[in-house]
Amino acid sequence: MLPAQQRATLSGYVRSGADRSVLPGASVAVPALGTGVTADSTGFYSLPLPTGRHQLVISFIGYQSQTRELNVARTQRISFSLPEASNELGEVLVEGTGTLEQKLQTTQMSVEHLNARDAKLLPALFGEVDLLKTLQLKPGVQNGGEGTSGLFVRGGSADQNLFLIDDAVVYNPSHLFGLFSVFNADAVQSVDLYKGGFPAQYGGRLSSVVDVKMREGDAQKIGVSGGLGLISSRLTLEGPIVKDKGSFLLSGRRTYFDIFTRQINKLNKDQEDFNPIPDYYFYDFNAKANYKLGEKDQIFFTGYYGRDIFGFNSPNGFNFDFIWGNTVGALRWNHVFSPKLFLNTTVSTTRYQYQIANQLDQFGFSLSSEIQDYALRSDLDYAFNDKHTLKLGLSATNHRFNVGRLSASSTDGSLNIGSETIYRGQEASLYASDNYKVNDKLQLDYGLRFTGFQSGTDRFGAVEPRGAVRYSLTPKTSLKASYALMYQYVHLVSNSGASLPTDIWYPSRQNVKPQRSQQVATGISFLLGQGKYLLTNEVYYKWAQNQVDFRDGAQLFANEDLDAEFLFGKGWAYGNELYLEKKSGRTTGWIGYSLAWTNRQFPAQRGGTGINNGKVFFPTYDRRHNLTVVALHKLTERINLTASFVFTSGAPTTLPQGRFLLQDVFGDNVTAVPVYPDRNSYRMAPYNRMDLGMVYKLRPKRGESDLTFSIYNAYNRRNPYFIYFEQVEDEATGDVTNFRARQVSLFPVIPSVTYNFKF
């Protein structure tokens, strides 16, 4: 090995040559030495090398690779700018960071990468691009039902996912009652989904981490882009604050259901039997700005504001309004101490709230809830040498939980009551990790995370070990394994299987212990077909304690003793995920298949029978088989064709297996009482759907534009949403003779078109 004085470190940023935005995940490599690094989330890289002349290859998906010949005589900073691929639609690529070779060589497993530009090529419901729906096409990720954007990852519930936008937490990532996510694809640069093997810097949830990074604005020139879709419109403005030193991005979107429903209501309001149609719309607004204070310092600001508004005004004087949404703000300072040492510090605030207001003549009633956080996070990265990369960090969060605000009043002053239940919690963590390259074949990533939580006088603490290992059997075959212990100190109070706007976040307390999970995973990866294909197979097992549910008939709103409504149990999930991916050539895409089991058990407790009489049951999001096929094909220089196919086992549900007749004491009325078997002992029909899409690039005189066509549910499959029973009556007597099961389906075939522009 060369002595220390004969080594030097190259460092700097990898940026887009078009707008100077950073390219997180860009590769800086020296093929002759078999070494290289990946730029971090700020686009910063640090590469130790022996002194001398080297040929560097800098690459990033969707950009032209660059080869540079350098004589490395000393430690120095060199930044690179990559031009965009000459034909944006020329080669369809489905992942935003990392090449197949990099995925093979990294110790990180159970992770999916996606960028917004490539997600826009895929078919979408109503033409509204949704990054979370794209993640649902990856193995190990289930959705909560037809059309929803919720994620159920490797047997975890919806509240066990940590959603981050530029390091700030988002508590409810959904619009339109879960049909769409809050992440506007025009404002997003990349998304990383961690399903297991969690790096030590992440914590606070059990099942997954969805780390969203927003785009930086164009630091060279003012630009305007947007789109007109079937249900919404989008507009983005970006440009330099000071050329090459700072930039901004402003992006907004809004649906326009309400414009049509209000016109229909206005035209028909005088009809005697007309029932008004409720108004509904959502909007959101993203902002990001960055500015270079000097060669070593840069600051970033991220903001998000979004609201869903549902309203109903009836002719009889009854008014109903339901408003919910997120507010997020984050300020980050990036400081480079040296080519080997840099720091990111973020202060953020996030607030999720909802309010339901009713008004009938002179009487008013409202119910609301919210959670608000103030957080500090600091991460230190140290490239100790070419074998060790250290990460150290800490975080602290102050939570404020308003689990229920209830008020009722009358305009004449005869009634005025209210109640409010507020809890506070403080959460803190400290972590350290090391990525250790033992040799060319063996690489380790290990760390510890120390966490603590306090709510009033109740205190909790834990040590969370994390570890991953990668061993290269051959240059094209790797074995990987990982372990992670996770704690979750905040819980979602929900009375349904899917996340709803009215669900309440609740802290750990004396009678509500933190949730805990452990996950082990192992897998093997192969590069096939001269490096064009990556085949991976992963097996995982996850077991969890202190899982939360609620007793039958639980009072969830305006309840000052909500602790008494909780039930606690355990869960375990295991499965196999097979994944084949192709990222180059005229045809790209992936095939994913999961075979998985998810189990829950809640024994008798607190004087009750528990859930399902204490017996093991499948939750509603358990799916035995899950197959996804995604294909993207470049037909011509201006036309891309896309298709996706999904097949999953039917969702578990509970249906009555019979009924008995109950007659009142006078013998006048007979009631049919349903008899239910074990919970979720019946499965609905399997779910399958094909979506088709086409992107046609136009040739405007200025800028760029395209038409995106999509067909959701192309062969009009009537997938089950839920099942109910209707009475079958005797035509002669009118008596009920039987009951008939009926299936409700949500979406038929839905074509859509979106016009996108950029200039």
Side-chain angles (χ1 to χ4, degrees):
M1 179 178 289
L2 292 171
Q5 63 268 24
Q6 293 182 334
R7 300 186 70 82
T9 300
L10 291 181
S11 65
Y13 292 89
V14 183
R15 299 179 179 274
S16 166
D19 59 14
R20 304 295 296 167
S21 62
V22 298
L23 301 178
S27 170
V28 182
V30 181
L33 299 179
T35 187
V37 294
T38 299
D40 70 1
S41 61
T42 67
F44 186 82
Y45 78 93
S46 179
L47 177 61
L49 290 172
T51 56
R53 185 168 294 277
H54 300 289
Q55 188 180 73
L56 276 70
V57 177
I58 306 95
S59 60
F60 186 70
I61 296 300
Y63 290 78
Q64 296 180 28
S65 296
Q66 187 178 119
T67 301
R68 293 281 298 274
E69 192 84 21
L70 294 176
N71 185 14
V72 180
R74 57 181 174 82
T75 292
Q76 56 186 305
R77 177 176 296 186
I78 300 178
S79 294
F80 303 101
S81 296
L82 298 181
E84 289 188 350
S86 57
N87 179 16
E88 187 173 347
L89 295 180
E91 187 173 286
V92 181
L93 301 161
V94 296
E95 292 203 340
T97 59
T99 64
L100 296 182
E101 290 82 4
Q102 288 174 322
K103 291 184 71 173
L104 183 76
Q105 295 301 324
T106 181
T107 56
Q108 180 66 55
M109 62 185 303
S110 307
V111 64
E112 304 291 349
H113 305 284
L114 183 76
N115 74 20
R117 184 180 63 180
D118 302 325
K120 291 179 181 179
L121 297 173
L122 295 178
L125 177 62
F126 297 116
E128 183 67 22
V129 175
D130 194 314
L131 299 174
L132 295 191
K133 281 195 176 65
T134 306
L135 291 178
Q136 290 174 358
L137 298 173
K138 299 292 186 175
V141 183
Q142 304 288 348
N143 63 56
E146 174 79 80
T148 64
S149 63
L151 300 182
F152 297 84
V153 180
R154 289 187 171 177
S157 58
D159 69 312
Q160 294 174 352
N161 305 307
L162 176 65
F163 292 94
L164 299 171
I165 182 167
D166 282 354
D167 294 336
V169 175
V170 177
Y171 278 98
N172 187 341
S174 297
H175 282 307
L176 191 57
F177 300 99
L179 288 180
F180 302 110
S181 78
V182 300
F183 302 117
N184 182 352
D186 286 352
V188 170
Q189 177 163 304
S190 63
V191 180
D192 291 335
L193 168 67
Y194 297 87
K195 301 180 292 185
F198 304 101
Q201 64 263 36
Y202 296 114
R205 301 293 188 273
L206 301 187
S207 289
S208 78
V209 178
V210 180
D211 193 355
V212 178
K213 301 299 183 186
M214 281 187 59
R215 281 203 308 120
E216 295 179 14
D218 193 325
Q220 298 290 310
K221 62 184 185 302
I222 294 291
V224 179
S225 60
L228 301 174
L230 187 64
I231 65 168
S232 69
S233 292
R234 318 178 316 274
L235 185 66
T236 299
L237 175 67
E238 58 186 307
I241 298 174
V242 176
K243 192 172 182 179
D244 291 332
K245 292 194 67 175
S247 63
F248 71 90
L249 181 143
L250 305 173
S251 184
R253 61 176 174 171
R254 189 192 191 279
T255 58
Y256 25 74
F257 294 118
D258 57 310
I259 296 176
F260 302 106
T261 57
R262 289 174 186 174
Q263 288 299 316
I264 294 173
N265 290 338
K266 184 177 180 180
L267 292 173
N268 295 278
K269 65 179 181 179
D270 296 329
Q271 295 184 13
E272 182 177 350
D273 297 329
F274 176 68
N275 291 319
I277 302 172
D279 288 336
Y280 176 80
Y281 64 96
F282 73 76
Y283 62 89
D284 52 28
F285 177 77
N286 293 85
K288 187 166 184 177
N290 69 91
Y291 190 79
K292 292 176 64 176
L293 302 176
E295 281 299 315
K296 294 187 176 182
D297 297 279
Q298 191 170 6
I299 57 173
F300 304 82
F301 169 76
T302 299
Y304 171 84
Y305 182 84
R307 289 294 182 269
D308 285 64
I309 299 174
F310 181 91
F312 178 76
N313 299 314
S314 71
N316 62 8
F318 174 72
N319 299 326
F320 174 84
D321 293 298
F322 185 12
I323 302 173
W324 69 95
N326 297 275
T327 304
V328 178
L331 183 65
R332 177 165 58 92
W333 168 49
N334 171 244
H335 177 71
V336 179
F337 291 98
S338 72
K340 294 185 176 183
L341 183 66
F342 56 96
L343 174 74
N344 277 295
T345 299
T346 304
V347 292
S348 64
T349 180
T350 183
R351 183 186 186 193
Y352 172 69
Q353 60 181 334
Y354 74 81
Q355 181 176 19
I356 300 173
N358 299 280
Q359 185 74 36
L360 179 59
D361 295 331
Q362 296 183 341
F363 176 75
F365 168 85
S366 69
L367 178 68
S368 62
S369 176
E370 68 177 323
I371 178 172
Q372 184 163 19
D373 291 352
Y374 295 97
L376 168 68
R377 171 175 171 170
S378 190
D379 301 283
L380 188 70
D381 288 59
Y382 180 37
F384 185 72
N385 54 37
D386 56 353
K387 287 185 175 295
H388 292 274
T389 301
L390 305 177
K391 286 181 176 288
L392 305 170
L394 57 85
S395 65
T397 304
N398 183 70
H399 301 281
R400 182 181 183 272
F401 305 85
N402 188 333
V403 300
R405 182 188 295 119
L406 174 67
S407 65
S409 61
S410 59
T411 56
D412 60 5
S414 60
L415 176 65
N416 192 0
I417 60 173
S419 66
E420 188 173 42
T421 304
I422 295 177
Y423 298 107
R424 297 184 184 276
Q426 293 77 42
E427 187 172 356
S429 66
L430 178 68
Y431 78 86
S433 67
D434 177 27
N435 186 281
Y436 176 29
K437 186 177 180 181
V438 181
N439 52 47
D440 290 340
K441 290 183 174 293
L442 180 63
Q443 191 169 350
L444 307 174
D445 197 338
Y446 49 89
L448 282 177
R449 184 178 180 88
F450 304 89
T451 61
F453 187 86
Q454 177 175 327
S455 179
T457 59
D458 301 318
R459 295 184 177 90
F460 307 93
V463 178
E464 305 177 18
R466 313 286 174 80
V469 58
R470 184 266 301 169
Y471 183 78
S472 296
L473 293 175
T474 71
K476 294 187 177 182
T477 306
S478 288
L479 292 174
K480 298 183 182 182
S482 66
Y483 168 81
L485 172 63
M486 309 283 280
Y487 278 81
Q488 181 167 332
Y489 296 103
V490 296
H491 319 279
L492 193 64
V493 179
S494 174
N495 56 2
S496 71
S499 178
L500 295 175
T502 54
D503 293 341
I504 300 169
W505 287 92
Y506 197 77
S508 292
R509 291 161 51 81
Q510 181 179 4
N511 297 323
V512 184
K513 306 300 182 186
Q515 299 181 64
R516 177 177 183 266
S517 78
Q518 299 179 78
Q519 183 179 158
V520 293
T522 184
I524 186 168
S525 302
F526 304 92
L527 271 181
L528 306 173
Q530 297 180 337
K532 292 184 177 181
Y533 301 88
L534 178 68
L535 175 64
T536 65
N537 190 72
E538 292 188 14
V539 179
Y540 69 90
Y541 190 95
K542 179 166 64 177
W543 58 104
Q545 295 78 39
N546 296 328
Q547 301 297 280
V548 177
D549 212 314
F550 303 93
R551 64 172 68 248
D552 292 338
Q555 174 58 43
L556 303 184
F557 302 106
N559 185 350
E560 296 184 0
D561 188 25
L562 194 58
D563 291 12
E565 307 291 352
F566 286 84
L567 295 176
F568 303 95
K570 62 181 180 179
W572 59 100
Y574 51 93
N576 185 91
E577 297 170 3
L578 188 64
Y579 186 60
L580 177 65
E581 176 183 17
K582 183 175 184 288
K583 295 179 66 172
S584 60
R586 296 177 65 90
T587 301
T588 61
W590 68 84
I591 300 173
Y593 170 72
S594 300
L595 174 65
W597 287 261
T598 302
N599 301 275
R600 291 288 184 270
Q601 186 175 26
F602 289 78
Q605 55 196 277
R606 298 185 176 183
T609 60
I611 296 177
N612 200 37
N613 293 315
K615 294 184 290 186
V616 177
F617 65 92
F618 300 122
T620 56
Y621 47 85
D622 173 70
R623 303 289 191 277
R624 193 68 62 245
H625 303 278
N626 187 352
L627 173 68
T628 58
V629 181
V630 175
L632 303 96
H633 178 69
K634 174 193 170 185
L635 185 63
T636 70
E637 295 299 319
R638 299 175 61 189
I639 299 175
N640 272 0
L641 302 179
T642 61
S644 63
F645 174 78
V646 178
F647 175 91
T648 66
S649 298
T653 189
T654 305
L655 298 176
Q657 62 183 6
R659 285 175 167 79
F660 66 89
L661 300 179
L662 182 65
Q663 192 173 39
D664 64 19
V665 294
F666 300 103
D668 296 329
N669 297 307
V670 177
T671 303
V673 180
V675 179
Y676 288 96
D678 291 344
R679 174 179 282 206
N680 294 341
S681 57
Y682 177 82
R683 285 189 184 270
M684 291 189 285
Y687 180 97
N688 60 90
R689 188 190 80 242
M690 176 177 286
D691 303 332
L692 302 175
M694 182 181 74
V695 179
Y696 179 71
K697 190 173 182 179
L698 304 174
R699 293 176 175 172
K701 293 183 179 180
R702 182 184 177 189
E704 303 172 6
S705 63
D706 67 65
L707 289 174
T708 300
F709 302 91
S710 64
I711 302 177
Y712 182 88
N713 195 7
Y715 52 81
N716 200 29
R717 162 76 175 181
R718 307 301 287 179
N719 286 298
Y721 188 59
F722 65 85
I723 295 174
Y724 72 96
F725 284 84
E726 66 178 11
Q727 296 180 354
V728 178
E729 298 180 351
D730 185 277
E731 295 182 359
T733 64
D735 295 335
V736 176
T737 60
N738 206 343
F739 292 86
R740 181 187 296 118
R742 291 291 191 185
Q743 172 184 297
V744 175
S745 299
L746 196 57
F747 294 122
V749 55
I750 300 177
S752 62
V753 60
T754 304
Y755 170 69
N756 301 296
F757 60 88
K758 181 179 180 181
F759 58 88

